[in-house]
Amino acid sequence: MPAAARRRADPGFAAGILALLAHGVNLRLRVGADAQQLQATVTAAVTAVTRRQ
């Protein structure tokens, strides 16, 4: 794929997604989610943000 066609990273967008993720994990932890559920949530979110198209 040509360099010009590659998707550029948007640090502000990524920071917003990560802040929402941290908030969501905190809320899920407070209502009793176990470590395995939290790990799956974080893994899925980070994979979605870092996936290259």
Side-chain angles (χ1 to χ4, degrees):
M1 172 184 317
R6 289 189 193 139
R7 195 176 73 186
R8 296 193 185 268
D10 181 348
F13 177 76
I17 294 297
L18 293 173
L20 285 172
L21 174 62
H23 182 68
V25 167
N26 186 31
L27 289 175
R28 290 190 66 178
L29 182 62
R30 289 175 184 238
V31 297
D34 65 23
Q36 187 175 10
Q37 291 173 320
L38 296 173
Q39 181 66 42
T41 300
V42 171
T43 299
V46 171
T47 299
V49 170
T50 60
R51 188 176 344 168
R52 293 196 155 223
Q53 295 180 356

